[in-house]
């Protein structure tokens, strides 16, 4: 055996500037969003969509995923136990959310705290609004929020992989102890024993989602079955996430001792939505083809016909 474990002591800051700097996590987020935009721009060109659609998508999706991820973390995960439970109208309250008491703390993104489930909700919300206020002006394309997300989820696979790589650089969101040879000792988080590098596991299932959805869009009629690509994406990502949570450490203390943690509870609705979308997609007729068909090599290199008539 070549090694028993990996000592992970990578600086999460790429470039130090004073007390702060440019972190790997933020850089990988930015690269992921750019790749997602580039993938969708290529798709929109294939389907003859207006040139400005890709730029509009980038603005709405970036805002939706960042706002949703931040709000999702602050609402789903930032619950802290009261020193003494308090009662109101016969109800006993044990936990409190500090962001309700001080909403301005929501703006302090640099303190950390982004939720993938919140980001997914933000993307869905942004897709609904984008289609309603922008894309619906072109009814000839027959778009819907599902049409947008079917194409978006392919590029999101790249973004999600890079975000999980950013989690690895931050030495966060890892699993419990393991004796497997690829266990990581996250030195900067105070660990002294090898743990499951679940950030890498999550990168792998996002890569699997890419391997499945990419050919489905480019080489099959899946893009003509509204909701199918999104449904497949949700099943791969969130079902795997649900199972992976069994070996991950709890993100917050209030999750301790629960049968299912917050990540698993939040994954269940997306798993059910994915099943519904897949069934729905196959029960509906195919949407019309709007692709720009590339000219064949025979047509490309065929000599032009002489249309001039010979004089007698």
């Amino acid at each position: 055996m070549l090694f028993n474990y990996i000592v992970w002591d990578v600086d999460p800051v790429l470039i130090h500037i004073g007390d702060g700097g440019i972190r790997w996590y933020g850089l990988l987020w930015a690269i992921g969003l750019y790749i997602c935009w580039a993938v969708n721009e290529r798709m929109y060109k294939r389907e003859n969509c207006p040139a400005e659609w890709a730029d509009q998508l980038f603005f709405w999706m970036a805002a939706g995923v960042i706002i949703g991820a931040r709000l999702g973390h602050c609402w789903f995960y930032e619950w802290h136990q009261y020193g003494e439970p308090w009662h109101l109208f016969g109800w006993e309250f044990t936990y409190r959310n500090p962001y309700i008491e001080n909403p301005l703390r929501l703006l302090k993104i640099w303190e950390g705290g982004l939720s993938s489930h919140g980001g997914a909700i933000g993307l869905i919300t942004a897709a609904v609004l984008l289609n309603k206020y922008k894309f619906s002006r072109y009814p000839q394309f027959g778009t819907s929020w599902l049409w947008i997300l079917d194409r978006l989820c392919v590029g999101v696979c790249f973004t999600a992989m890079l975000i999980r790589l950013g989690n690895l650089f931050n030495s966060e969101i890892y699993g419990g102890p393991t004796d497997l040879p690829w266990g990581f000792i996250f030195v900067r988080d105070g660990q002294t024993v090898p743990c499951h590098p679940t950030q890498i596991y999550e990168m792998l299932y996002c890569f699997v989602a890419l391997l499945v959805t990419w050919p489905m869009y480019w080489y099959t009629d899946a893009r003509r079955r509204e909701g199918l690509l999104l449904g497949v994406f949700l099943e791969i990502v969130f079902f795997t996430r649900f199972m992976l949570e069994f070996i991950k450490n709890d993100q917050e203390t209030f999750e301790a001792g629960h049968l299912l943690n917050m990540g698993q509870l939040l994954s269940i609705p997306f798993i059910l939505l994915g099943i519904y979308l897949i069934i729905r997609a196959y029960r509906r007729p195919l949407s019309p083809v709007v692709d720009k068909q590339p000219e064949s090599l025979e047509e490309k290199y065929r000599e032009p016909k002489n249309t001039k008539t010979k004089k007698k």
Side-chain angles (χ1 to χ4, degrees):
M1 186 177 295
L2 296 178
F3 52 85
N4 294 321
Y5 55 81
I6 298 168
V7 177
W8 186 254
D9 190 20
V10 176
D11 190 345
V13 180
L14 173 62
I15 301 175
H16 290 268
I17 303 174
D19 295 332
I22 299 175
R23 300 178 68 92
W24 283 104
Y25 184 71
L27 177 63
L28 291 167
W29 253 94
I31 295 173
L33 290 175
Y34 173 78
I35 294 176
C36 185
W37 167 82
V39 169
N40 277 265
E41 182 187 41
R42 184 180 174 188
M43 291 177 173
Y44 288 178
K45 284 183 178 179
R46 178 188 190 180
E47 300 188 44
N48 287 324
C49 298
E52 67 272 14
W53 274 21
D55 294 333
Q56 292 173 350
L57 176 82
F58 180 82
F59 173 78
W60 285 77
M61 295 300 108
V65 70
I66 293 174
I67 294 173
R70 179 59 176 164
L71 292 177
H73 173 83
C74 295
W75 178 255
F76 297 134
Y77 289 98
E78 288 287 341
W79 291 93
H80 304 290
Q81 196 164 19
Y82 280 111
E84 291 291 338
W86 62 283
H87 299 80
L88 179 67
F89 302 118
W91 292 84
E92 181 178 279
F93 294 89
T94 306
Y95 291 93
R96 65 185 178 88
N97 190 303
Y99 294 93
I100 295 177
E101 300 171 358
N102 184 12
L104 291 179
R105 287 187 59 187
L106 291 168
L107 302 178
K108 296 182 179 180
I109 299 179
W110 57 89
E111 293 184 352
L114 296 173
S115 162
S116 58
H117 295 93
I121 295 172
L123 284 177
I124 292 174
T125 303
V128 172
L129 295 175
L130 175 63
N131 186 69
K132 180 177 181 180
Y133 294 108
K134 295 294 182 180
F135 290 6
S136 61
R137 298 177 183 176
Y138 303 85
Q140 65 271 29
F141 291 97
T143 61
S144 67
W145 64 273
L146 284 175
W147 184 96
I148 295 172
L149 290 173
D150 276 337
R151 286 141 187 82
L152 185 66
C153 68
V154 181
V156 166
C157 294
F158 288 101
T159 310
M161 283 191 289
L162 291 173
I163 291 173
R164 290 312 181 196
L165 181 58
N167 293 137
L168 181 64
F169 275 101
N170 281 346
S171 297
E172 61 186 1
I173 317 179
Y174 48 84
T178 179
D179 56 1
L180 293 171
W182 55 80
F184 276 51
I185 298 179
F186 294 97
V187 176
R188 289 180 177 268
D189 202 40
Q191 294 297 322
T192 57
V193 297
C195 297
H196 283 286
T198 49
Q199 310 97 323
I200 297 177
Y201 302 167
E202 294 188 83
M203 288 175 61
L204 291 175
Y205 71 61
C206 291
F207 182 62
V208 171
L210 176 65
L211 290 179
V212 174
T213 57
W214 181 277
M216 283 181 67
Y217 174 83
W218 289 103
Y219 304 114
T220 74
D221 62 3
R223 66 188 179 280
R224 297 174 57 197
R225 295 188 180 277
E226 187 180 76
L228 179 58
L229 283 164
L230 176 61
V232 171
F233 171 84
L234 293 177
E235 286 307 300
I236 295 174
V237 170
F238 288 104
F239 178 76
T240 313
R241 168 73 183 272
F242 180 91
M243 301 304 296
L244 192 60
E245 290 291 330
F246 286 112
I247 64 171
K248 286 176 68 174
N249 293 324
D250 293 331
Q251 293 189 44
E252 299 294 338
T253 56
F254 74 84
E255 296 178 293
H258 292 182
L259 178 62
L260 301 177
N261 64 23
M262 182 59 72
Q264 291 172 312
L265 293 174
L266 294 174
S267 294
I268 292 174
F270 289 102
I271 295 171
L272 296 177
L273 176 61
I275 295 173
Y276 165 75
L277 289 174
I278 293 172
I279 296 174
R280 175 184 181 274
Y282 281 105
R283 287 185 173 180
R284 292 178 173 240
L286 294 173
S287 60
V289 177
V290 292
D291 294 0
K292 181 189 297 183
Q293 300 297 334
E295 60 182 352
S296 65
L297 292 178
E298 180 183 357
E299 293 174 341
K300 184 175 182 179
Y301 295 105
R302 181 185 298 162
E303 293 184 2
K305 294 180 179 180
N306 185 3
T307 57
K308 295 182 180 180
T309 57
K310 296 180 179 181
K311 294 182 179 179
K312 295 182 179 180

